[in-house]
Structures are given as C-alpha cells and as structure tokens.
Amino acid sequence: MSSPLPFRWLPPALALLALVGCESTPAQPDPTVVKLNDVDERLGRLEHVNQGLLQLSQRLDAIEAQMRELRGELEEQQNSNETLRKQQRDLYADLDRRLTALQSGQKAAGALGPGDSGAAGSSGSSGIDAGGDQAAYARAFEALKATDYPAANGRFREMLRTYPQSPLAGNAQYWLGEAYYVTHDYDNAAASFRAVGEQYPQSPKVPDALLKLGLTQVDQKKPADARATLRQVVQRFPGTDAAKLAAGRLQTIAPDEH
C-alpha cells in the first residue's frame, strides 16, 4: 500500500521544475535602454567626426595663412627683382649715352690730325690715350649687352689688366662680377663684387657692388654673411636705391637660417 507516496510529492516537483525553467530563460532587454544606448553610440561617433572636422579646418586655416605669407614674400621678391632689372636698364641706358659722347669726343680729337701742334696737339694726344681704355670698356660692355657673357668676361678682365688705373676700372670690375653672376659662377662673382670696394673705393659702383655681393652670398647659401653685407649697404649708403633694395631683401632672409 506504498504507491500513493509518489503522488503526494508530485506537485512540489513540478513546481521546482517550473522554477528552474524560469531561471534559465534569459531576460529580454528593455527597448528604451536599447534605443538610448544606440543614440549614445551615434552621438559618440558624431562627436569624433566633429573633432576631426575641427582639426581639419584648423589645419586648412594654417595652410591658408602660410600661403598668404608666401604670396606676400613672392610679390615682394618680384618687386625687388623688377626694381633691380629697372636699375640695370637705367644703367645700361646711361652708360650707352656716356659711351656715345666719349666716342664722339674721340672722333673730334682724331679729326685734328697729326700736323696740329701746341695745345690742340696736346689735347688730341690725351684723347687718344683716354680712348684706349674707353674703347676696351665699350667692347666689353657691348658683349655684355649682347648676352655674350664669356666674351664680356674676357674683355673686362683684359681691360682691367691693360688699364688698371682707368677711371672706368671700378665699373669694369663691377660688370665683370655681373658676367660671372648671370652664369651662376657665384664664387668669382662674389670676389669681383668685393674687389670693387677694396680696389676702387671711390668708384660710384661701390654701393651696387656691395648690394650684389650680398645677393650673391644668398645664392651661395651663406645667409649670415648675406645679412651682414646687406646691413652694411643700409648703414653706409642710406637713402640710395642700393640701400632700399638691401633693406627689402633683408626682410626675406629668415634670422634662424644657418
């Protein structure tokens, strides 16, 4: 008569199974929480995107500022170059006028003829002597104007060897430096420009020669020497075109260049 016992324990067992079944079933997430988490993730991604855009905008602003600065330096350099070209054109024109006048004077002196005597004969002889260095200078300068730089180089050197005491020697030394400079022979150009001030300190070409020495030193990648030379131009020859050009060029050489 023991068979009724299992039937008395059956309901509690079923209840236990039901309890275990409820605990093993995972709880469903709250839809509101899911949506809030999704919104948070989207906002986080947007915040990262906005930070990236802000950094990009700042970089673009910095690049634009650098470009404006570079454009300003380029325009200033172009203006300086144009001023130099104008100065050289004016010098060419002035020298042409002087050479024409000198050649006219030589022809007039030669027209006196060898039979003239006294003061006239003495003047004719002086004109012929002066015509030697002037003719040599004119030939060298014509080659320079024709952009025949090797010929100009040789003729100016020959003129300086033959007529070292000529009043045109300082000019010849300067234009010899120009003939070297335009062919990118910067070492000889620098030596020639420096020689103008050292050997012909009374020459009117000294300010221009010192300016060109500074510009040559820039091309030689010697910014410290260039700054020192250009400062000399400003200090020694204030108010001149050479000083103005030197002051402008100084502003384009960074102080920390080495």
Side-chain angles (χ1 to χ4, degrees):
M1 297 302 293
S2 61
S3 58
L5 181 60
F7 291 99
R8 290 196 301 269
W9 288 96
L10 185 58
L14 291 174
L16 180 59
L17 290 173
L19 179 60
V20 172
C22 291
E23 290 180 352
S24 63
T25 302
Q28 295 296 323
D30 188 340
T32 302
V33 174
V34 172
K35 290 182 179 179
L36 288 175
N37 290 337
D38 183 59
V39 170
D40 284 341
E41 290 179 2
R42 292 184 181 182
L43 288 175
R45 288 195 294 270
L46 287 173
E47 183 176 357
H48 287 305
V49 171
N50 287 337
Q51 288 178 350
L53 290 174
L54 178 60
Q55 292 175 354
L56 180 60
S57 176
Q58 291 173 342
R59 290 176 185 173
L60 288 174
D61 288 342
I63 290 173
E64 289 180 356
Q66 291 175 354
M67 289 182 66
R68 285 194 297 270
E69 183 177 353
L70 288 173
R71 280 196 296 269
E73 292 180 0
L74 179 60
E75 290 175 359
E76 183 176 352
Q77 184 64 34
Q78 288 174 341
N79 290 336
S80 296
N81 290 339
E82 179 58 31
T83 303
L84 280 173
R85 285 193 292 269
K86 182 179 182 301
Q87 185 183 37
Q88 288 184 349
R89 288 194 298 267
D90 292 343
L91 286 170
Y92 287 148
D94 180 59
L95 285 172
D96 277 339
R97 287 192 296 270
R98 294 185 185 185
L99 289 172
T100 300
L102 288 171
Q103 290 168 353
S104 299
Q106 292 169 26
K107 292 177 182 179
L112 292 174
D116 293 316
S117 59
S122 175
S123 298
S125 175
S126 176
I128 292 171
D129 292 341
D133 63 329
Q134 293 165 3
Y137 182 85
R139 286 192 298 270
F141 197 78
E142 285 297 326
L144 182 66
K145 289 197 299 179
T147 68
D148 187 354
Y149 301 119
N153 185 303
R155 291 176 185 178
F156 276 124
R157 285 185 296 162
E158 180 63 26
M159 185 264 182
L160 288 167
R161 281 195 299 267
T162 308
Y163 306 102
Q165 303 303 319
S166 169
L168 295 171
N171 289 55
Q173 186 68 55
Y174 173 85
W175 292 115
L176 176 61
E178 286 285 0
Y180 281 126
Y181 183 83
V182 295
T183 55
H184 307 291
D185 187 350
Y186 297 129
D187 290 341
N188 280 320
S192 296
F193 290 133
R194 188 179 289 109
V196 176
E198 293 176 351
Q199 299 179 23
Y200 312 102
Q202 303 304 317
S203 171
K205 297 300 296 179
V206 171
D208 293 329
L210 196 59
L211 170 65
K212 287 308 295 280
L213 173 59
L215 299 180
T216 303
Q217 289 168 333
V218 171
D219 290 315
Q220 289 178 305
K221 310 302 181 185
K222 298 178 179 179
D225 292 342
R227 290 179 65 83
T229 300
L230 294 173
R231 286 196 188 101
Q232 283 190 52
V233 180
V234 175
Q235 294 168 359
R236 292 176 55 188
F237 309 103
T240 62
D241 289 339
K244 294 174 184 177
L245 291 172
R249 191 66 181 88
L250 274 169
Q251 296 177 2
T252 67
I253 305 175
D256 57 347
E257 287 187 12
H258 298 287

